[in-house]
Every structure is written in structure tokens, then in C-alpha cells.
Amino acid sequence: MMRTRPLKVALLGCGVVGSEVARIMTTHADDLAARIGAPVELAGIAVRRPGRVREGVPSELITTDAMALVKRGDIDVVIEVIGGIDPARPLITTAFEHGASVVSANKALLAEDGAALHAAAEQRGVDLYYEAAVAGAIPLVRPLRESLAGDKVNRVLGIVNGTTNFILDRMDSSGAGYSEALDEATALGYAEADPTADVEGFDAAAKAAILAGIAFHTRVTIEDVHREGLTEVTAADIASAKRMGCTVKLLAICERAADGRSVTARVHPAMIPLSHPLASVREAYNAVFIEADAAGQLMFYGPGAGGAPTASAVLGDLVAVCRNKVNEATGPGESAYTRLPVSHMGEVVTRYHISLDVADKPGVLAQVANVFSEHHVSIDTVRQQGKDGEASLVVVTHRAPDAALSATVEALRRLDTVRGVASIMRVEGE
């Protein structure tokens, strides 16, 4: 039986995502009501610039007083798509205090303060859902915290930023340099005017923190995530990866230690074999590869950003939260019972691809090999090319602690025969 009293929804933010949420809520109202078991009414939309034209958005719902909207007392669900830390945090906590559940796409806030937000929601007996915070339309948060709740997840490896994947894909397919590929991404609308959050890995790091927390049932914040961007990736790196049968991707990697006593979370460029499923992810698409004890290997793929895809994830959460309201229940909250520590990047076991500019004379390879031996790093392959007194030496290592690999590189820089370290990149996916 359908409940007659409508559930009232407040929308905070009406940009690309918010306007699409408002449009779908209006045009698909009957379908949403049928799926929820009660009508859903958009009761107010808080914006910063009320004079802006928003096609299909009822102007009578627009307000600039977001705090007054969430304090109304008759709001059942607040959808927050304004992003950032403030004023999003006080708006969300105020919504909880007034009995409203929250659907958020705010990866930055969740990665910084997710534990406090979950605690505030639990204290008030309301929901906090955030499928749209991680990978746009890709169902990922709910499968991790519900579908795989009975399994043990050991690794989450993914491409979670469409802008950086587009840039690296263009560098790989056309031979363009980083700056050229970034210019193309900007022209096509994939990159913001200030692309720092994407290209320096901040966006992916926030998502990695969220995924690691859910996957390993422990608290991980963005401060725990090792982060490197892709601004130093060169066309030469891409070409070298091709010679190895690899491609370069900016990866978010969350792992449980082999002994199960700690976890790691990191974001950095890496070479991955062309045989790995993530290697074929092109353009601005996202994909996440999950390894679990019972389920084995799973991959989730799709558009990771954009108005309609992100709105799809927001509305999926809205339906779930509203169903809980109808049934006077709440969904799963934070699961952090393992309390596992997050290890430093230096403890991570990984592989390196190192390109050196060296003097082209006898004994150089022996000197370089001796440095690796002194730091207990085993060499997998070596490739050397020389001409006119100069040479390039490419070394690929076996797996070793990252700290040992970093120390090896620093020792190589001090060799008289090493003119410079042209590039360093980790090798993953094997």
C-alpha cells in the first residue's frame, strides 16, 4: 500500500549534478513513488546564485538560505551536491539534528571527516548514503558494504578519475606530451580550468580513502593516502611502457597486508600490463577491480563523472534512503570494527621501472647492479642503449619494500657515472 504523505526532499546545490537530480525527480516522480512506496516531493533547492537560469528547475523552490532549508523540520531527506568542506559539513550535521537523512556526493568531506558524520547520523537514527562520491554512476559503495559484506576483500585497484585517464589515454594513443593532452582535456570539458585536484591526485586520493575504509572495515582518511599526480609523466615513460607490453594509468590502490594486520592506500601513476582488464579502460571512463577471498576477481566499469551519471547514483541512494524512511528503518552505517592501522608507503611491497642516463663506458652496469644489491633489491630485467659517450639504462626490479627502492634511487643519483634519473615509475597489476 502506498503512503499518501509525501517524503520531502531538500536539494543543496543545483549545478551540473543538482539540476539533473531536480529534473529527474520532477519528470520521473510517479516511477520514484512506485519504487519507494510513497510520493517524493522536492521541497526546496539551495543555491549560491539565484539569478542563474536553470532549465526545468522550478524557480519557486530556489532559496539562498541553505541553513534555513535544512532546519525546516519537515524535511525527510537532504541531498548535498555542493561539494567542499564548508558549508557542507555544518549543513549535513544540522540536517541530522533535525531528523533528516542525507545523500551526499561529497568525496572530500567524507574522506576527511567520514567517521564523525557517520557517528552523527547514527546518534540521530538517520542514514548517510554516498554512492555518488566515488565513481559517478558505477555501483561501487553499495556492493562493497552490502553485497560483499560476508566476504573478505583483500585489494581494490582502480581508475577513479576520468580526467587523468583521458590525459594518459591521449598520451598513449597519439604520442602527445602531458601539456598537449591536458589542453585537449580542457577543451573537451573533461578538465577544469584549475585541474590541480585531478592531475595532482587529490580527487583520486579522497576516493581511495573512502573505498579503503569500506573494503577493510577500518577508518582511513585522505591524510592516510600516499598521493602522487601525473604531471611528471612524459611521452618517454609512455613509450617505455609500450616496449614492456604495458600502459600507464593513474591508479588508486587499497590493499590488506599479507598478514592481515594492516592496510595501505595509495594513488600514483603506474605501468600495468596490457593483459590486465584496467589497461583497456579508455577516454574518461572509470573502472575498479576488486579481489576478495570468496568472490574472486570483480570489475566495475562505467562513466565516473558528469551530470546524468552522477545524478543516477544520487537518485539510487535517494530511493534506498526513502524506503528506509517509509519502513522506519536505517541502512548500514560505518563498519570500522577491525581498527587496522594504515601502513606508510615505505612499507608497501612494489616494483619499479627506473630509467637512467649514464656514461657509455665499461663497468657502468656493474656499478648500478652493485647499488641494487647493496639495498637488497633484485633486478628483473635490464635494457641498455648507448651512443657517442652517452647511454640510457632501463632497470625493472622485482618486488621489494618501497623504502628500499627509494633508497636505491637516491644512491644511484650519487654515482659519478649516472648523469641523471630520467624517470621512475611503479609497476602494478601482476
Side-chain angles (χ1 to χ4, degrees):
M1 180 180 294
M2 173 126 5
R3 187 175 102 166
T4 56
R5 186 180 74 79
L7 292 162
K8 293 190 176 183
V9 178
L11 176 61
L12 308 182
C14 199
V16 174
V17 176
S19 58
E20 191 68 16
V21 169
R23 184 192 68 79
I24 296 173
M25 285 188 65
T26 303
T27 58
H28 293 70
D30 291 343
D31 285 339
L32 291 173
R35 294 166 191 172
I36 292 167
V40 180
E41 175 188 322
L42 190 54
I45 304 172
V47 300
R48 292 193 181 101
R49 296 183 292 275
R52 180 180 170 186
V53 176
R54 297 172 174 85
E55 188 176 347
V57 177
S59 59
E60 66 273 14
L61 297 180
I62 298 293
T63 178
T64 57
D65 195 340
M67 188 59 75
L69 180 59
V70 299
K71 284 182 173 180
R72 272 178 37 172
D74 63 338
I75 300 297
D76 295 289
V77 182
V78 170
I79 298 175
E80 182 271 310
V81 289
I82 56 177
I85 305 302
D86 291 311
R89 176 163 36 202
L91 288 170
I92 289 174
T93 55
T94 300
F96 292 152
E97 291 166 3
H98 286 76
S101 292
V102 172
V103 172
S104 177
N106 196 330
K107 54 187 170 288
L109 179 57
L110 288 159
E112 179 177 299
D113 213 18
L117 294 177
H118 276 292
E122 183 178 3
Q123 182 181 9
R124 299 290 177 170
V126 294
D127 282 321
L128 172 62
Y129 275 51
Y130 44 91
E131 185 67 67
V134 176
I138 303 173
L140 193 57
V141 171
R142 194 171 291 119
L144 270 174
R145 72 177 186 177
E146 296 182 33
S147 303
L148 293 173
D151 207 341
K152 179 183 177 185
V153 176
N154 296 308
R155 196 175 196 225
V156 180
L157 174 77
I159 298 164
V160 295
N161 183 275
T163 301
T164 53
N165 199 57
F166 179 89
I167 291 170
L168 290 170
D169 184 44
R170 280 293 182 268
M171 291 176 70
D172 182 83
S173 61
S174 69
Y178 166 76
S179 296
E180 296 170 273
L182 174 59
D183 288 344
E184 185 178 355
T186 303
L188 292 172
Y190 291 126
E192 301 287 346
D194 179 2
T196 303
D198 294 324
V199 300
E200 294 293 355
F202 290 100
D203 176 84
K207 295 170 181 175
I210 295 169
L211 290 174
I214 299 170
F216 306 134
H217 303 278
T218 196
R219 287 179 177 167
V220 181
T221 72
I222 193 168
E223 296 300 322
D224 298 318
V225 181
H226 174 83
R227 176 192 55 79
E228 298 172 29
L230 54 71
T231 56
E232 301 300 318
V233 177
T234 66
D237 293 327
I238 303 294
S240 189
K242 284 185 174 182
R243 285 192 290 269
M244 288 178 59
C246 294
T247 189
V248 177
K249 299 292 185 182
L250 185 76
L251 298 178
I253 306 170
C254 312
E255 293 178 305
R256 189 190 300 267
D259 62 8
R261 296 179 181 177
S262 64
V263 299
T264 58
R266 50 195 165 105
V267 168
H268 54 72
M271 296 180 179
I272 58 173
L274 294 175
S275 57
H276 194 281
L278 291 178
S280 61
V281 179
R282 310 298 299 271
E283 300 284 337
Y285 277 77
N286 285 192
V288 176
F289 197 75
I290 296 173
E291 299 174 9
D293 274 1
Q297 297 179 334
L298 307 170
M299 187 163 124
F300 299 80
Y301 169 85
T310 306
S312 171
V314 169
L315 288 161
D317 278 351
L318 176 65
V319 169
V321 167
C322 286
R323 283 173 176 167
N324 291 341
K325 286 282 185 180
V326 170
N327 294 319
E328 298 181 351
T330 55
E334 182 190 34
S335 175
Y337 72 93
T338 63
R339 297 183 177 86
L340 295 173
V342 182
S343 296
H344 186 270
M345 183 64 194
E347 301 174 54
V348 173
V349 177
T350 186
R351 300 177 65 201
Y352 267 26
H353 173 282
I354 305 168
S355 180
L356 304 171
D357 295 326
V358 299
D360 186 14
K361 62 181 184 180
V364 173
L365 182 56
Q367 287 183 336
V368 169
N370 186 57
V371 170
F372 279 90
S373 176
E374 288 176 350
H375 290 84
H376 307 288
V377 176
S378 178
I379 294 174
D380 182 15
T381 62
V382 178
R383 185 176 71 252
Q384 185 174 14
Q385 292 179 323
K387 185 178 180 182
D388 300 328
E390 297 295 329
S392 64
L393 190 65
V394 177
V395 179
V396 180
T397 73
H398 284 294
R399 290 169 63 83
D402 199 81
L405 289 163
S406 296
T408 301
V409 172
E410 291 308 308
L412 290 170
R413 294 182 195 274
R414 295 192 292 269
L415 288 179
D416 292 338
T417 51
V418 173
R419 307 287 192 241
V421 179
S423 71
I424 308 166
M425 191 170 295
R426 295 177 183 87
V427 181
E428 298 287 345
E430 295 182 321

